[in-house]
Amino acid sequence: GPEPLSAFPQSLLAVRTTAGKVLNFKIWNADSPRRQEQGLMFVHDMDEHAGMLFVFTGNQQPMMWMKNTYISLDLLFINEHGLIEYIAAKATPLSLSVIQSPKPSLAVLELKGGASEVLGIKIGDSVVHSSFHNAK
């Protein structure tokens, strides 16, 4: 069965908007193929300042989907410098459609559906986390 989210490693992540606002998130790290496959499946509610980070090996075009995912999500596709290059906002729960960025990405940050809009996160904003080259 699925692993409880409490078993996933957690870390802090910040989004720095081009307007200079810093937004802090407490995230779960999907740090293994099995955790990446599970993602936020079976989760029924999520705070706007929570999220899950998927970091992939090298630059690829990760294929994400919403199988067994009960809440709408925003998927933020991030390059190795921590730059948000594409946002798939309010992805449909339980949909089997593949969600992909037109560009290669190093990572995907999943937030509660609509959180990007509410918090003012846009393409071109920076994600600060130890996974990216911008984290000092």
Side-chain angles (χ1 to χ4, degrees):
E3 190 179 5
L5 269 185
S6 56
F8 281 59
Q10 284 200 293
S11 58
L12 297 172
L13 171 151
V15 174
R16 191 180 288 129
T17 71
T18 45
K21 204 160 120 189
V22 176
L23 304 158
N24 293 300
F25 295 86
K26 188 170 187 188
I27 58 153
W28 296 285
N29 297 293
D31 63 341
S32 69
R34 195 178 155 181
R35 285 176 172 155
Q36 288 187 352
E37 199 176 307
Q38 180 181 321
L40 288 165
M41 285 181 180
F42 313 112
V43 174
H44 287 278
D45 189 34
M46 195 161 78
D47 190 86
E48 262 158 16
H49 287 273
M52 184 172 285
L53 185 67
F54 300 75
V55 178
F56 301 98
T57 46
N59 264 347
Q60 46 175 285
Q61 281 175 289
M63 291 196 287
M64 309 296 286
W65 64 348
M66 297 288 288
K67 183 183 176 182
N68 296 328
T69 306
Y70 299 136
I71 55 173
S72 174
L73 296 174
D74 285 1
L75 289 84
L76 286 60
F77 291 79
I78 305 160
N79 72 14
E80 70 270 26
H81 303 293
L83 213 63
I84 299 170
E85 294 198 309
Y86 181 72
I87 299 176
K90 298 182 185 166
T92 308
L94 304 177
S95 165
L96 298 185
S97 306
V98 170
I99 302 165
Q100 248 185 325
S101 166
K103 296 181 179 177
S105 315
L106 175 69
V108 174
L109 174 64
E110 292 184 343
L111 301 176
K112 182 176 183 163
S116 307
E117 194 181 352
V118 171
L119 301 170
I121 298 170
K122 296 182 171 65
I123 290 171
D125 291 351
S126 293
V127 179
V128 183
H129 185 262
S130 55
S131 307
F132 308 114
H133 295 329
N134 62 13
K136 296 286 172 274

